[in-house]
């Protein structure tokens, strides 16, 4: 499992606590965040929990990480069409991209049809959750990558954010 834009370690740290057998890679471009996540992982004595300080677009071209993961998770990183371009290069064929989204999830899906097609991805399930404490619904999109991805993705120089698919 790779957590892209891990921030303070959510969801990777709670998922690792829930199941110590999972192998995790947590990635963020902000040193302060990766230092914090690394310190929590050390304090909790996690095995097989790798923390990497890197931009996602750069790491995606490293053969040690590209198309090596069964699951890609992210939370509050970017709109769906952008996070798909960041995530798909890490997923194995038939790997799953799991995205946590808010109430505008359907708008994000509608805006992502081109990205889904170009990145060989399809939405296979949407889980709806009601959170009492905030009186709101949240949605988990489960997306499957079908086949290998062209090496032109993700595009460099911040193009996924500046010119989304």
């Amino acid at each position: 499992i790779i957590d892209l834009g891990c921030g303070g370690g959510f969801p990777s740290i709670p998922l690792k606590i829930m199941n110590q057998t999972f192998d995790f890679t947590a990635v963020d471009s902000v040193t302060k965040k990766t230092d914090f996540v690394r310190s929590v992982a050390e304090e909790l004595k996690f095995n097989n929990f790798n923390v990497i300080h890197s931009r996602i677009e750069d790491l995606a071209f490293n053969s040690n990480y590209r198309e090596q993961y069964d699951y890609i998770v992210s939370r509050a990183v970017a709109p769906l069409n952008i996070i798909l371009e960041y995530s798909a290069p890490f997923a194995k064929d038939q790997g799953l991209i799991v995205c946590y989204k808010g109430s505008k999830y359907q708008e994000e899906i509608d805006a992502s049809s081109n990205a889904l097609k170009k990145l060989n991805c399809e939405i296979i399930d949407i889980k709806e959750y009601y959170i009492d404490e905030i009186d709101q619904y949240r949605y988990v999109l489960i997306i499957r990558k079908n086949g290998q991805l062209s090496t032109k993705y993700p595009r460099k120089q911040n193009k996924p954010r500046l010119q989304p698919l």
Side-chain angles (χ1 to χ4, degrees), residues 42-95:
E42 289 170 3
E43 182 72 23
L44 296 174
K45 296 179 177 33
F46 286 163
N47 291 317
N48 302 317
F49 194 95
N50 189 22
V51 181
I52 299 174
H53 171 250
S54 176
R55 291 186 57 81
I56 296 168
E57 309 89 307
D58 298 333
L59 191 64
F61 289 99
N62 182 321
S63 62
N64 293 322
Y65 303 98
R66 189 174 184 90
E67 297 189 325
Q68 298 299 310
Y69 293 90
D70 296 306
Y71 300 95
I72 294 80
V73 296
S74 65
R75 181 187 162 275
V77 173
L80 183 60
N81 55 349
I82 296 170
I83 196 62
L84 282 171
E85 186 169 355
Y86 289 146
S87 299
F90 293 96
K92 293 178 179 177
D93 181 18
Q94 303 303 300

Side-chain angles (χ1 to χ4, degrees), residues 36-37 51 77 81 102 142 154-155 161:
F36 173 77
V37 172
V51 181
V77 173
N81 55 349
I142 302 175
R155 295 167 294 154
R161 285 192 188 273

Side-chain angles (χ1 to χ4, degrees), residues 30-139:
V30 178
T31 304
K32 185 187 295 187
K33 293 176 182 179
T34 55
D35 287 349
F36 173 77
V37 172
R38 189 174 290 109
S39 71
V40 170
E42 289 170 3
E43 182 72 23
L44 296 174
K45 296 179 177 33
F46 286 163
N47 291 317
N48 302 317
F49 194 95
N50 189 22
V51 181
I52 299 174
H53 171 250
S54 176
R55 291 186 57 81
I56 296 168
E57 309 89 307
D58 298 333
L59 191 64
F61 289 99
N62 182 321
S63 62
N64 293 322
Y65 303 98
R66 189 174 184 90
E67 297 189 325
Q68 298 299 310
Y69 293 90
D70 296 306
Y71 300 95
I72 294 80
V73 296
S74 65
R75 181 187 162 275
V77 173
L80 183 60
N81 55 349
I82 296 170
I83 196 62
L84 282 171
E85 186 169 355
Y86 289 146
S87 299
F90 293 96
K92 293 178 179 177
D93 181 18
Q94 303 303 300
L96 297 178
I97 300 166
V98 181
C99 299
Y100 184 79
K101 292 294 179 181
S103 61
K104 297 186 183 210
Y105 78 98
Q106 188 59 56
E107 292 173 32
E108 290 192 44
I109 291 171
D110 294 343
S112 299
S113 60
N114 189 41
L116 287 161
K117 181 179 175 185
K118 287 187 176 198
L119 301 169
N120 302 328
C121 293
E122 67 175 321
I123 297 172
I124 60 169
D125 202 1
I126 300 171
K127 304 284 187 191
E128 179 182 81
Y129 298 94
Y130 179 74
I131 303 173
D132 288 326
E133 293 80 9
I134 60 172
D135 190 31
Q136 291 183 4
Y137 286 93
R138 291 292 182 261
Y139 304 86

